[in-house]
Every structure is written in structure tokens, then in C-alpha cells.
Amino acid sequence: RALQERYPDVGLALGLHPQKADQFGPELAHSLLLALREFGAIAVGETGFDFSRSQPGFNEQEHAFRVQLEIASSEGLPTIIHQRDAADALIAELDRWPNLAPIVLHSFDGTDRLADWALERGCFVGIGGLATRPRSEELRRLLSRMPVDRLLLETDAPYLPPPGADRRNTPSNLAVIAGLLAPLWSLTEDELCRTTTANA
């Protein structure tokens, strides 16, 4: 509530990250729904699948994800999706929900199949510091296929800073990230910033 009062023009997204899926249950689901309504949240998430660790297990993640998708669907809210090492499971689950409001693939780090699916489904794609890393040539190739009207510039703060930045990522790095990634779409830094702001 304090953040909302301090930043009244900033939209709020509420959800349970898949790495916390073992904490999800009926009481938390009800609290999430009430909080979304009380705070006028603009999206559910981030939610999804994360198979980079062995726990929580698939069944727990699937249950938490499905309930949050049900909430997003019933409230008509976009869903912010986290996926890590889980592209195929994510596609399979989201294909069960063809009528969701817009989907945001947060901090996109997917496969060719997920990129194809995102294009077909019209997803928004989060681009950030991960794609600026020297080893991310394949990710940049996938991102360059995404239409500019579907891009969202993000930091994933405090994680994934661009090269040369402090270890703790902050929103002040958005200009650096935009400058490094804009050439993928033959845009200037300013053009990418304006476009992603309009998309958001």
C-alpha cells in the first residue's frame, strides 16, 4: 500500500513466482484475488514454470500456475510469465488458455519453438540485460525476430545487469540496455525507449 501511495501512476502486478509454488494454497489464492482487486492491479504475475532447480516440483508449480491463470482469466488481466528451462511445458499449459488477456513473456530467454509460439500468439516480450551479455548471441537472434510493437524494455532488477554496470541492476540501466539492443531492430536508443514505453 505504501508503494502505491508513493507511486500512484505505476501499475501493480501481483502473483506468486514459480520458485515459491510450494507455498501456494487456497488461502493464498484467495488473498491474491482480494489484493488484485483492492489495489487495482493491472496484471497477474510473475507466474509460470522454473525448472532450473529441482524444487518446487512440477505438480506444485503447475497447480500454482493454473490457479493464477484462472484468476487472470476471470479478472480479465494480462499475465506476466516467468519461464526458465521450461519452454515446452509453458507452451503446453498456455495452449489450454487461448482466450487470456495479453501475455508478457518476462525476461525472454526461450527457444525457437517458444519464439514461434510467442509470435503466433501475439505475446509481449520482455527484453533486458540478459540479452546484452556477450554469450547471448542466440538470444539476440531470437529477439530480433520479435516485432517492435511487442517489445517491453525491462531490467529484472536487481538481477541481470548489462556489461559494465554494477552487479546490482537498477532501472537507471534501461538506457544502457536500450542502447545495446536497439540495433537488433534498426532503431536508435531513443526510438526503442519510446516504442517500448508506448507498448507498456
Side-chain angles (χ1 to χ4, degrees):
R1 185 178 304 279
L3 281 174
Q4 190 177 40
E5 289 172 2
R6 186 170 177 188
Y7 304 103
D9 296 330
V10 175
L12 186 65
L14 297 172
L16 187 74
H17 194 282
Q19 290 179 350
K20 303 288 185 184
D22 55 350
Q23 299 174 20
F24 199 81
E27 186 175 321
L28 197 150
H30 182 68
S31 295
L32 174 60
L33 178 59
L34 293 180
L36 287 162
R37 291 174 176 169
E38 179 181 350
F39 295 115
I42 61 169
V44 174
E46 60 188 88
T47 183
F49 288 126
D50 190 325
F51 299 155
S52 65
R53 301 176 184 171
S54 60
Q55 294 297 323
F58 174 77
N59 290 339
E60 292 166 311
Q61 290 191 43
E62 180 184 55
H63 174 70
F65 190 25
R66 282 186 178 171
V67 173
Q68 289 176 87
L69 290 173
E70 287 171 8
I71 291 171
S73 179
S74 69
E75 297 297 301
L77 292 172
T79 312
I80 300 173
I81 303 293
H82 171 99
Q83 83 82 28
R84 194 161 172 205
D85 300 334
D88 291 342
L90 182 72
I91 292 168
E93 183 60 39
L94 289 174
D95 277 346
R96 300 177 72 241
W97 303 86
N99 299 314
L100 285 175
I103 294 169
V104 176
L105 297 177
H106 155 67
S107 192
F108 185 84
D109 182 22
T111 59
D112 272 303
R113 182 170 180 241
L114 183 58
D116 291 341
W117 182 88
L119 284 165
E120 182 180 318
R121 186 80 178 248
C123 296
F124 287 91
V125 176
I127 58 172
L130 180 63
T132 66
R133 294 181 173 179
R135 298 176 303 185
S136 296
E137 296 94 351
E138 177 63 12
L139 175 55
R140 287 190 291 275
R141 181 188 69 79
L142 291 174
L143 290 175
S144 71
R145 297 175 50 207
M146 300 298 156
V148 295
D149 66 350
R150 292 287 143 185
L151 301 176
L152 298 172
L153 188 60
E154 60 182 15
T155 60
D156 199 19
Y159 307 107
L160 305 175
D166 289 338
R167 186 169 183 191
R168 182 179 175 83
N169 202 4
T170 66
S172 64
N173 288 327
L174 284 173
V176 175
I177 293 167
L180 291 168
L181 296 181
L184 294 177
W185 299 277
S186 300
L187 299 174
T188 66
E189 173 187 321
D190 187 57
E191 287 169 336
L192 181 59
C193 288
R194 283 198 318 265
T195 300
T196 56
T197 298
N199 294 345

